[in-house]
Amino acid sequence: MPGGAVTLVGATRVDRVEAPVTIKAYFMCAFAAFGGIFFGYDSGYINGVMAMNYFIREFQGLPYPPAGATEDEKKYFVLPSWKKSLITSILSAGTFFGALIAGDLADFIGRRLTIIGGCGIFIVGVILQTASASLGLLVAGRLIAGFGVGFVSAIIILYMSEIAPKKVRGAIVSGYQFCITIGILLASCVDYGTQNRMDSGSYRIPIAIQMLWAIILAIGLFFLPDSPRYYVKRGKIDLAASVLARVRGQPVDSEFIQQELAEIVANHEYELQIIPQGSYFNSWKQCFTGGLSTPSSNLRRTILGASLQMMQQWTGINFIFYFGTTFFKDLGTISNPFLISLITTLVNVCSTPISFWAIERVGRRPLLIWGAVGMFVCEFIVAIIGVTDGGNKEAIKAMISFICIYIFFFATTWGPGAWVVIGEIFPLPIRSRGVGIATASNWLWNCIIAVITPYMVGTDRGNLGARVFFIWGSLCVLCWIYAYLLIPETKGLTLEQVDRMMEETTPRTSAKWVPTTTFAQEMGLTDKGTLDPAIVEDVERKGSVGV
Ligand code: BGC
């Protein structure tokens, strides 16, 4: 309500810029992590389904392989590569656009409603896929479901980063990564359970089950409040105060809540002064302004978010999760490649919780730097064993062990780290779009890698075999250099402090930075210690006209 400026006590001490949090409030913040299940399950289930005989029969219009068919005859029952590629990659196309559009919507209808809307779109897509018995409907369903996954995957990160308390923000967002890994695991278990069915339930069950994740997430979010930072952006300071009180579990008139809110408001006003907003197109343009040479410019932050997600895909992790089964099979000496895939998936799930602790204790920057080192060392070892002694059973066991150690490094560092950092580096005026662009980049590279990898390793194509790990290893060396040069340390800071830290330091000096002043102090406090009403009024006015 412009003109009715709320009075907010401004913090003058840097340790008073965030209210204390109750256990219930912690759980509220952690619930949204559940959205990771979508991401993991949806990208995971299709691999198993595409190998199911019934599915292939249905979608190729072929008779079922007769009982007693030889292995050679069964090979006939394989989907052609172009169909596999289309069915797999159409999801990423949907998620790519979904993430970009959701970044936009989240500023208009709110983070929470955008996620709930994403669940609705996803359910429509899943219904179409479940009903499908032809390629057209399946592809359309996956495109629409992908759209929904794009909404959810981008905005969950934004929502969680904005409501989580600073001390556990990294751990809570890592919870999202944990749910991704559980989603991948669940998908392979369900596929395993239905693969031998002789009816359409073989593929319809794994597809339809996904609706459950969407329903649980949407219902849960229905009861959760929106992000206070969203309300500040829309100029609704009263509402921001009441939702902040809910997510912190404090009374709305408590001084803690006022101080935290004053800080968010003052920071937003500060950003609005540097980044004047305008028309719709202008607000998109803002993501690309400020020049390349200024480390804290919007352009640099947008590039940082998008490239960090690109590098996460370059680590080669999805080579294991998308093509692991085929890779292990092609090595020739493994009797049960499915089991090995299950093991790699389990290593992923079991290692991720270590990041809850490490991301807050060790910090984002060291985790990404040392994680890349761990990964490239393992990848080079796998490649070297593969080219020198690849036919030997013992050597293959060693390769698998190093692949598991590699997954351990990914799951404890780059897996969660990339998501945590993109939620933290953008200032409020461009945050939702920045996170949307970064998430879209994850899906774009996810798709590119899914499309080109079969050509690199396919026995009828590049046939690189274990040598492909030289490529992933070299890309991880780039990840290491990238993290060293470009990733700032954001642990323990509020999002507003991160904003300031990025202005005042370089990535290499960022870990030593400590806040010395508050935004409320800097922007203006009255004699009574309250935030200058003119600031609150300005934020209310600008927010109400959508700038
Ligand atoms: C990545 C996914 C990957 C998953 C594996 C995520 O952080 O973005 O592409 O499949 O981790 O756990």
Side-chain angles (χ1 to χ4, degrees), residues 23-358:
I23 298 284
K24 184 176 151 221
Y26 276 123
F27 280 113
M28 279 169 77
C29 297
F31 172 79
F34 189 82
I37 300 239
F38 269 63
F39 185 132
Y41 189 95
D42 210 46
S43 41
Y45 89 86
I46 197 68
N47 293 312
V49 163
M50 284 192 306
M52 289 177 190
N53 282 334
Y54 189 90
F55 179 85
I56 297 169
R57 187 197 73 80
E58 192 89 346
F59 286 79
Q60 274 289 83
L62 293 171
Y64 198 79
T70 64
E71 282 309 308
D72 267 355
E73 282 161 351
K74 277 193 197 151
K75 273 191 196 145
Y76 175 61
F77 293 89
V78 167
L79 277 184
S81 304
W82 73 267
K83 274 195 187 172
K84 275 194 192 168
S85 160
L86 176 65
I87 296 172
T88 315
S89 57
I90 197 75
L91 180 94
S92 324
T95 43
F96 174 80
F97 290 108
L100 285 182
I101 294 171
D104 227 13
L105 261 188
D107 273 350
F108 290 101
I109 62 168
R111 283 59 169 140
R112 198 180 61 108
L113 277 186
T114 307
I115 302 172
I116 296 177
C119 292
I121 298 175
F122 178 75
I123 289 176
V124 173
V126 172
I127 292 174
L128 294 181
Q129 290 177 67
T130 311
S132 68
S134 67
L135 191 67
L137 198 56
L138 180 76
V139 167
R142 273 181 72 76
L143 182 68
I144 296 174
F147 231 73
V149 178
F151 269 48
V152 174
S153 57
I155 308 306
I156 286 271
I157 293 294
L158 176 66
Y159 178 68
M160 293 178 89
S161 312
E162 287 191 340
I163 63 169
K166 61 180 180 180
K167 274 205 196 100
V168 291
R169 190 177 56 235
I172 283 182
V173 177
S174 300
Y176 169 78
Q177 170 72 15
F178 183 51
C179 288
I180 296 181
T181 65
I182 293 184
I184 300 177
L185 178 66
L186 279 176
S188 41
C189 295
V190 176
D191 281 352
Y192 190 57
T194 65
Q195 61 180 346
N196 294 325
R197 285 177 72 115
M198 302 294 193
D199 55 21
S200 64
S202 55
Y203 68 90
R204 288 197 164 128
I205 295 172
I207 294 178
I209 279 183
Q210 306 173 87
M211 270 187 268
L212 201 65
W213 323 140
I215 293 169
I216 298 176
L217 183 68
I219 294 180
L221 276 181
F222 193 75
F223 293 103
L224 289 183
D226 210 317
S227 147
R229 288 169 168 98
Y230 159 68
Y231 285 123
V232 168
K233 183 150 201 304
R234 302 300 293 173
K236 297 175 179 159
I237 311 296
D238 281 328
L239 275 173
S242 70
V243 297
L244 185 62
R246 277 187 67 197
V247 292
R248 297 287 178 260
Q250 300 288 335
V252 70
D253 51 3
S254 102
E255 203 163 283
F256 281 123
I257 295 296
Q258 292 207 7
Q259 288 179 330
E260 180 168 356
L261 189 56
E263 200 55 14
I264 299 173
V265 171
N267 168 265
H268 189 46
E269 175 71 2
Y270 168 80
E271 282 297 343
L272 287 178
Q273 284 175 7
I274 312 179
I275 315 171
Q277 305 280 294
S279 63
Y280 173 78
F281 289 107
N282 195 42
S283 61
W284 265 108
K285 215 175 95 195
Q286 293 307 331
C287 298
F288 304 97
T289 52
L292 266 180
S293 52
T294 321
S296 65
S297 74
N298 286 355
L299 175 65
R300 279 282 290 266
R301 296 189 203 210
T302 304
I303 293 177
L304 181 64
S307 57
L308 177 57
Q309 289 292 349
M310 173 183 82
M311 300 304 271
Q312 194 219 38
Q313 292 299 309
W314 282 13
T315 59
I317 190 66
N318 286 326
F319 173 72
I320 308 291
F321 292 124
Y322 292 174
F323 303 103
T325 317
T326 344
F327 176 75
F328 292 127
K329 211 162 141 192
D330 291 347
L331 287 178
T333 39
I334 290 173
S335 54
N336 192 349
F338 177 82
L339 190 68
I340 308 287
S341 287
L342 192 64
I343 293 174
T344 53
T345 313
L346 272 172
V347 172
N348 195 26
V349 175
C350 299
S351 316
T352 305
I354 298 175
S355 70
F356 301 170
W357 168 85

